[in-house]
Amino acid sequence: MTHEHAAPEGPTVSQLGEGQLLDAFLPVATTEGPHVLVGPGDDCAVVAAPGGSVVLTTDTLTLGQDFLTMWPSGRRTTGADLGRKCAAQNLADVAGTGAVPTAVVVSLTLPGNTPVQWVTDFAEGLSRAFEELGATECALVGGDLGRGEELSVTATVTGRCVTAPVLRSGAPAGGVLVHAGVLGHAAAGLEALQCPVPGAWDAVPAQLRDALESAQLRPRPPVTTGPALARAGALAMMDVSDGLLRDAGRIARASGLHIDLEPRALEPHVNSLAPAGEAVGGDPWQWVLTGGEDHGLLAVLPVDSRLPPGVRAIGSCAPAAPGTVVPGSGANPGESSRRDPVGPAVTIGGRTSQQWFGRDVVEGWDHFEP
Amino acid sequence: MTHEHAAPEGPTVSQLGEGQLLDAFLPVATTEGPHVLVGPGDDCAVVAAPGGSVVLTTDTLTLGQDFLTMWPSGRRTTGADLGRKCAAQNLADVAGTGAVPTAVVVSLTLPGNTPVQWVTDFAEGLSRAFEELGATECALVGGDLGRGEELSVTATVTGRCVTAPVLRSGAPAGGVLVHAGVLGHAAAGLEALQCPVPGAWDAVPAQLRDALESAQLRPRPPVTTGPALARAGALAMMDVSDGLLRDAGRIARASGLHIDLEPRALEPHVNSLAPAGEAVGGDPWQWVLTGGEDHGLLAVLPVDSRLPPGVRAIGSCAPAAPGTVVPGSGANPGESSRRDPVGPAVTIGGRTSQQWFGRDVVEGWDHFEP
């Protein structure tokens, strides 16, 4: 993988000491906030945990695997884009627990030829994402800078609960499945980014293509909707990082029930992607049902709950047919990572995904799937 | 960098799904502990923060940069070694704040040809380190698995304070500088690992060489001594990850004073390395004063304090000579990372490092130093 950068001018990280690099990085980053008791500069940061507990999540983005600096379509992933995406996917995990993000530590692994400007752009993108996504209590409190052959960033985010934490396992039969955010945009955007110019995606209206590519490069999960859903009584919740079918299956399995998606409720999502699907011969239903990385929120509420703004009902929960679903044992290991073929745990208008598509589909994203 | 592994037999990560890999990983890991409210399996873990706050640190180890799987000396970094080292350096940061480790999240970036056995060995090494280093309240509560060309692990650890957090900036003039742990062993061990067989290090007694290589591969920082020092009244503290001169300089600068190291107090450390120094023509004083990665604890206590077991006085704090030290402003950015030439902030028996060595020395470790 060639490691190209937009700005070959200016110093690279190999020309600076670690301290100088931090002197460039930290002033651009948001390092103060209401929960920061001790910020960058000591062995540890100290973060307030108002309720006596803290929620905690971590995610890594690696060049060549999770993003490219230069895409076949001609778009670039800038440092600011990666800062935004790194923030967004971690903030969405905190939101998916019904919590409010409080602090971030970031570890950057950088090739020596990385422009310093890229690093400060990253810090700026991270801080912009806090603002734009409404994570106004969140600050960068520490981290680690190291060298490597492969550009890679890992963020760990803490959050404070506004209710008891909302897990995957609390959904009841009779509950209503709701969603906030986009579905399929990041997956369609990935295809657009991977399509050279000239190519099939030239037939897609430029504005739509641009919006979809942006959804992949800097997703905008509904971070403030997580705590709103918790306050509205959400009984189970997660963010959709690996595709709707796969992630709904996780809630179904963890809660020991069956989920049926309502096709008509998904039609607006499908329709928003239809012009792209028609132009490139793609299936908008597949993007909506199986596309990952949108980081919208999927939750289960008691029926007749008042839905927060931006939240729409998209399905319902029913008792599992005997033998079809492994009941949630509380031992469900692995954030977004069980190998869980959707099987009959999730249906679309009463049909399995195989019946729905008329063929076998990969029901979501797996980092290691052979 | 060739990515060789000890066990070419058995499945590799590319032959498993992410869920299967976690099914192999998590049962080997310590995932329960007194502070785990929600462990692996949801978008976030939830960790108790008994005092209403949590300390937080993160560190990355990257193949080729921070370790080799196969060293010129013939030793290997096994998965278990890397798990131990990853735990040790993060636990030392928590200890360096005077806190007790409570929880860890780990992000693993793995090439497809990584044996699954390597991954479970890593989990086991992490858990062993919790036990061996006395981090008995600590558990693995979540993480992230991803693919990449370059093997890399990032751990983020939370801790609970037993007193107010002990920072770098609290040392008073008149305070006594103390240390716990080894000095220079990891640096000497790195030279041993990098020396081919046959080679200069063959002249070093095998037992000593082995001990030094092990100090580099799986450091054993005095994790429980951190809270003990906090309770004993430590006013400033950090772990020595980048070398004694450099890190003492950080306390001096953050606290706005001058530190003088007592050569006789360092002699036991120097003597323990003397046989290796003689055999290979190395300078044990340079290992002791500038070697990184030992992760011992460096603290400042009021004079006449009762020292916890394993803690030895190694120097003293005095007012800074005018113009020699930038007083601690509280704005000291960057965990272990200011570019801070020791200058006159630290002396050895009243002599600058240049006077002590009779030449210029690099006073510690910098990930990006040109």
Side-chain angles (χ1 to χ4, degrees):
Chain A
M1 172 80 34
T2 315
H3 183 226
E4 289 182 59
H5 286 290
E9 316 84 23
T12 65
V13 298
S14 65
Q15 295 169 283
L16 265 61
E18 205 172 340
Q20 288 177 305
L21 189 55
L22 269 176
D23 288 346
F25 182 89
L26 286 174
V28 184
T30 305
T31 55
E32 290 176 20
H35 305 287
V36 181
L37 303 180
V38 175
D42 280 275
D43 281 7
C44 290
V46 187
V47 179
S53 69
V54 67
V55 310
L56 194 64
T57 185
T58 193
D59 260 313
T60 297
L61 292 168
T62 301
L63 177 64
Q65 185 67 25
D66 300 297
F67 68 98
L68 301 177
T69 45
M70 173 61 107
W71 295 87
S73 82
R75 285 278 292 255
R76 291 176 177 279
T77 300
T78 66
D81 287 339
L82 200 69
R84 277 183 160 94
K85 181 158 180 155
C86 174
Q89 67 177 25
N90 279 285
L91 296 177
D93 278 329
V94 173
T97 317
V100 175
T102 51
V104 180
V105 289
V106 174
S107 185
L108 300 179
T109 301
L110 305 169
N113 68 346
T114 308
V116 171
Q117 182 68 46
W118 190 96
V119 181
T120 56
D121 284 353
F122 177 87
E124 198 166 329
L126 203 68
S127 295
R128 281 299 150 276
F130 296 168
E131 276 175 44
E132 291 172 5
L133 303 178
T136 53
E137 298 181 20
C138 197
L140 180 77
V141 297
D144 182 43
L145 290 170
R147 288 276 286 266
E149 294 297 314
E150 194 171 64
L151 184 66
S152 179
V153 303
T154 300
T156 304
V157 182
T158 59
R160 66 175 177 88
C161 291
V162 298
T163 63
V166 187
L167 309 181
R168 299 180 184 180
S169 54
V176 56
L177 185 76
V178 302
H179 179 266
V182 296
L183 281 169
H185 287 214
L190 181 62
E191 288 184 27
L193 287 165
Q194 287 171 333
C195 177
V197 174
W201 276 79
D202 296 350
V204 176
Q207 205 180 347
L208 178 58
R209 179 178 187 164
D210 186 64
L212 296 176
E213 291 184 341
S214 294
Q216 167 61 225
L217 294 175
R218 21 175 208 264
R220 297 177 63 103
V223 173
T224 58
T225 307
L229 279 164
R231 288 199 184 93
L235 297 162
M237 185 153 58
M238 66 185 298
D239 86 303
V240 183
S241 37
D242 296 339
L244 179 59
L245 283 177
R246 177 156 290 188
D247 286 335
R250 288 175 171 141
I251 288 181
R253 246 176 295 276
S255 300
L257 46 72
H258 172 89
I259 286 176
D260 189 45
L261 301 172
E262 169 54 50
R264 273 195 302 186
L266 297 173
E267 273 172 11
H269 293 284
V270 172
N271 292 340
S272 74
L273 295 170
E278 280 160 33
V280 303
D283 181 350
W285 277 104
Q286 189 162 339
W287 287 327
V288 167
L289 288 170
T290 71
E293 297 190 279
D294 288 315
H295 302 292
L297 296 175
L298 190 64
V300 177
L301 291 166
V303 77
D304 295 331
S305 295
R306 188 174 174 150
L307 301 187
V311 176
R312 281 166 295 271
I314 62 163
S316 56
C317 303
T324 57
V325 172
V326 179
S329 62
N332 171 26
E335 140 67 342
S336 63
S337 12
R338 292 293 299 217
R339 166 187 276 240
D340 29 21
V342 135
V346 178
T347 49
I348 308 117
R351 295 148 76 188
T352 66
S353 66
Q354 213 232 1
Q355 291 165 339
W356 179 263
F357 286 107
R359 64 184 194 281
D360 280 328
V361 293
V362 176
E363 286 165 336
W365 178 255
D366 188 308
H367 278 282
F368 288 96
E369 200 89 320
Chain B
M1 173 79 36
T2 316
H3 183 225
E4 289 182 60
H5 286 292
E9 315 85 21
T12 65
V13 299
S14 65
Q15 295 169 282
L16 265 62
E18 204 171 339
Q20 288 177 305
L21 190 55
L22 269 176
D23 288 347
F25 182 89
L26 286 174
V28 184
T30 304
T31 56
E32 290 177 17
H35 306 288
V36 181
L37 303 180
V38 174
D42 279 276
D43 281 8
C44 291
V46 187
V47 178
S53 69
V54 67
V55 311
L56 194 64
T57 185
T58 193
D59 260 314
T60 297
L61 292 168
T62 302
L63 177 64
Q65 185 67 26
D66 300 296
F67 67 97
L68 301 177
T69 45
M70 175 60 108
W71 294 87
S73 81
R75 285 278 291 255
R76 291 175 178 279
T77 300
T78 66
D81 288 338
L82 200 69
R84 278 184 160 93
K85 181 158 179 157
C86 173
Q89 68 179 23
N90 279 285
L91 296 176
D93 278 328
V94 173
T97 317
V100 175
T102 52
V104 180
V105 290
V106 174
S107 185
L108 300 179
T109 301
L110 305 169
N113 68 345
T114 308
V116 172
Q117 182 68 45
W118 191 96
V119 180
T120 56
D121 284 352
F122 177 88
E124 198 167 327
L126 204 67
S127 295
R128 281 296 151 280
F130 296 168
E131 278 174 45
E132 292 173 2
L133 303 178
T136 53
E137 297 180 22
C138 196
L140 180 76
V141 297
D144 182 42
L145 291 170
R147 288 276 286 267
E149 294 297 313
E150 193 171 65
L151 183 66
S152 179
V153 303
T154 300
T156 304
V157 183
T158 59
R160 66 174 177 88
C161 290
V162 298
T163 63
V166 186
L167 309 180
R168 299 179 184 181
S169 52
V176 55
L177 185 76
V178 301
H179 178 267
V182 296
L183 281 169
H185 287 214
L190 182 61
E191 288 185 27
L193 288 165
Q194 287 171 334
C195 176
V197 174
W201 275 79
D202 296 349
V204 176
Q207 203 179 349
L208 178 58
R209 179 178 187 165
D210 186 64
L212 297 176
E213 290 184 343
S214 293
Q216 167 61 225
L217 294 176
R218 22 176 207 265
R220 298 177 62 102
V223 172
T224 59
T225 306
L229 279 163
R231 287 199 184 93
L235 297 162
M237 185 153 58
M238 66 184 298
D239 87 301
V240 184
S241 37
D242 296 340
L244 179 59
L245 283 177
R246 177 158 290 187
D247 286 334
R250 288 176 170 139
I251 287 181
R253 245 176 296 277
S255 300
L257 45 72
H258 172 89
I259 286 177
D260 189 46
L261 300 172
E262 169 53 51
R264 271 195 304 187
L266 296 174
E267 273 172 12
H269 294 284
V270 172
N271 291 341
S272 73
L273 295 170
E278 279 162 31
V280 302
D283 180 352
W285 278 103
Q286 188 161 340
W287 285 328
V288 167
L289 288 170
T290 71
E293 298 189 280
D294 288 315
H295 301 292
L297 295 175
L298 190 64
V300 177
L301 291 165
V303 77
D304 296 329
S305 296
R306 190 173 173 149
L307 301 188
V311 176
R312 281 168 295 271
I314 62 163
S316 56
C317 302
T324 58
V325 173
V326 179
S329 63
N332 171 26
E335 142 67 341
S336 64
S337 17
R338 293 294 300 219
R339 165 188 275 241
D340 30 22
V342 137
V346 178
T347 49
I348 308 118
R351 294 146 78 187
T352 66
S353 65
Q354 212 232 1
Q355 291 166 338
W356 179 263
F357 287 107
R359 65 185 193 279
D360 279 328
V361 293
V362 176
E363 286 165 336
W365 178 255
D366 187 308
H367 278 282
F368 288 95
E369 200 90 322

